[in-house]
Amino acid sequence: MENEMEKVLLCTINDNEHLGQILSTYALHVTLQNLGYCPVVFDDLCRMNTVISKYIKERCCLFSDMCIHNSKEKYLDTFNYLLTGAEKKWKYTEKESTDQCFLNFGKEDARKIAYAPSFGKRCDIPLGPKNAAIFALKRFDGISVEDNSTLRILNMEFGIDAEKVCSPLFLVEDYPHFDREEIEGLFLSVFFEDRDNQKQKVVEMSEEILQYRIIDLSKDIENHLDSSIDVFLNALEKGALIITDSIAFAHMAVVYKKPFILITSRLGDAAGTLSGLESLGLMERVIYTEDDVCEKKYLCRKPIRYGLVDYKLMELRSKSIRWLEEKLKKE
């Protein structure tokens, strides 16, 4: 095979506590391996030191492990492909330079590809770094997006077109994890990135209707950083109903064919990233905090007909993998 063992540098994590970025990295790693490439996760700052990032350390090849016998620059020159992607990967943060964020490094002829990164609802990059980002993006060989917000930002603020693909989380059908047998019985699986009264009201409403116990893995829960990916995936796989404000957690509910309720504000980050759910016909599962949440209390008991959803997802996944495969090919 012509591209066998060609290396792809995966630049997909700028927040080592972000569940979506960690699982998206795994999904892209597996997808690239299935396409015949050798993916390496970019970890030059040794960020893989959180409990959830151990999922990547245990299953993927890391840059920080591989360049011990070379300088960083020499090792980067061995990559023919650089790939970025994942939720909020392009959201401005002082933890990551513009060059790192937009792949302005590596050897001159390396192919640069963006697979469904996002800015969030808006682009917060200051003017100076933004000009540098525009220059870097013009040199990409392929740019794709999953959400309409990123598509709009690229078009209006950067003058760049992009293809629509599925979320990286949808690229694989299964995420290996250890079965934590202590999580058994009927329960509601709750994960909030930013809890508020309306979101909590949905939890209490669901608990009252279903009479199930709650397993809450939200960020405001004490010791939430001690939870491994295995804990999250078990809660997703075994939960009777998933309640979340995280688009990544909602996408994972789809992967595990679980009924879910996604709660978001029309003004929040998630509101602009609902394209994946819309394409799968799942917008009914969204509750906006500006509305009367009780109007959708029927969702607590309503199942999702995953036969039709799976058919749509299979088509979207196949199209997205074909796009990635084509952009990796050398011209």
Side-chain angles (χ1 to χ4, degrees):
M1 187 175 179
E2 183 181 349
N3 61 2
E4 187 176 4
M5 299 307 295
E6 285 198 288
K7 291 188 296 188
V8 182
L9 188 65
L10 273 176
C11 307
T12 47
I13 298 173
N14 59 13
D15 182 351
N16 58 7
E17 296 175 4
H18 194 288
L19 184 72
Q21 288 190 6
I22 297 296
L23 291 175
S24 291
T25 299
Y26 171 78
L28 284 165
H29 193 277
V30 170
T31 301
L32 289 166
Q33 284 182 323
N34 291 340
L35 291 175
Y37 293 85
C38 178
V40 178
V41 178
F42 193 41
D43 185 33
D44 66 324
L45 299 179
C46 299
R47 291 194 182 104
M48 301 297 105
N49 57 2
T50 58
V51 175
I52 68 168
S53 64
K54 288 181 180 179
Y55 191 81
I56 297 298
K57 290 186 70 172
E58 293 169 355
R59 293 168 174 82
C60 303
C61 180
L62 298 184
F63 178 92
S64 54
D65 294 335
M66 298 300 294
C67 66
I68 54 176
H69 299 301
N70 291 304
S71 68
K72 173 182 171 181
E73 290 72 21
K74 285 184 178 180
Y75 187 59
L76 285 172
D77 284 343
T78 67
F79 288 89
N80 293 321
Y81 309 91
L82 309 180
L83 190 150
T84 189
E87 182 184 352
K88 296 185 180 179
K89 181 60 178 70
W90 283 349
K91 188 173 180 65
Y92 180 72
T93 170
E94 294 183 353
K95 297 178 181 179
E96 186 176 44
S97 69
T98 306
D99 285 347
Q100 277 193 334
C101 187
F102 295 98
L103 305 185
N104 191 26
F105 59 85
K107 64 181 181 180
E108 189 66 26
D109 61 345
R111 291 185 66 80
K112 298 178 181 181
I113 300 164
Y115 186 95
S118 71
F119 293 95
K121 189 175 182 181
R122 62 186 62 84
C123 177
D124 297 323
I125 304 175
L127 182 59
K130 189 173 184 179
N131 288 333
I134 292 173
F135 173 78
L137 285 171
K138 296 290 185 182
R139 303 178 66 188
F140 271 62
D141 296 282
I143 297 178
S144 64
V145 299
E146 187 268 340
D147 65 286
N148 289 332
S149 284
T150 301
L151 182 63
R152 173 183 52 80
I153 291 168
L154 286 173
N155 286 339
M156 297 182 65
E157 300 189 37
F158 292 84
I160 290 174
D161 293 324
E163 296 287 332
K164 290 294 290 290
V165 294
C166 71
S167 163
L169 297 171
F170 289 152
L171 289 174
V172 297
E173 300 180 45
D174 182 56
Y175 290 80
H177 59 279
F178 294 109
D179 183 10
R180 298 175 61 88
E181 295 181 356
E182 67 266 27
I183 305 181
E184 298 292 348
L186 294 172
F187 61 88
L188 307 175
S189 181
V190 177
F191 176 74
F192 290 140
E193 293 184 332
D194 185 17
R195 192 192 307 265
D196 61 26
N197 291 335
Q198 285 289 79
K199 295 172 186 177
Q200 184 60 30
K201 188 175 180 179
V202 174
V203 175
E204 293 169 359
M205 175 182 71
S206 303
E207 183 182 20
E208 181 180 354
I209 291 172
L210 296 174
Q211 295 294 301
Y212 296 161
R213 66 193 176 102
I214 296 171
I215 291 184
D216 196 333
L217 299 172
S218 302
K219 286 191 173 183
D220 61 353
I221 297 297
E222 187 177 1
N223 298 326
H224 82 276
L225 293 177
D226 295 334
S227 297
S228 67
I229 290 288
D230 295 320
V231 172
F232 287 104
L233 294 180
N234 272 273
L236 276 160
E237 186 177 42
K238 297 180 180 180
L241 175 66
I242 312 302
I243 302 174
T244 186
D245 62 355
S246 162
I247 190 66
F249 218 68
H251 284 173
M252 291 301 296
V254 174
V255 171
Y256 282 97
K257 299 178 174 57
K258 289 293 182 175
F260 68 90
I261 298 174
L262 175 65
I263 316 160
T264 185
S265 166
R266 287 186 173 85
L267 303 176
D269 279 350
T273 60
L274 300 176
S275 313
L277 298 182
E278 185 176 8
S279 65
L280 298 175
L282 291 172
M283 285 300 290
E284 183 186 23
R285 311 301 301 194
V286 178
I287 294 178
Y288 293 104
T289 55
E290 292 85 356
D291 300 339
D292 181 358
V293 298
C294 292
E295 290 182 356
K296 282 197 168 183
K297 63 182 180 181
Y298 65 88
L299 289 177
C300 299
R301 293 190 182 277
K302 185 173 182 178
I304 296 176
R305 298 181 183 276
Y306 269 108
L308 180 57
V309 173
D310 286 345
Y311 176 77
K312 293 178 179 178
L313 180 55
M314 183 174 62
E315 285 195 327
L316 187 56
R317 179 187 293 130
S318 296
K319 175 188 172 184
S320 301
I321 292 175
R322 283 197 304 270
W323 178 88
L324 180 58
E325 187 173 21
E326 288 172 2
K327 294 304 174 183
L328 285 167
K329 289 179 180 176
K330 293 181 179 179
E331 297 178 352

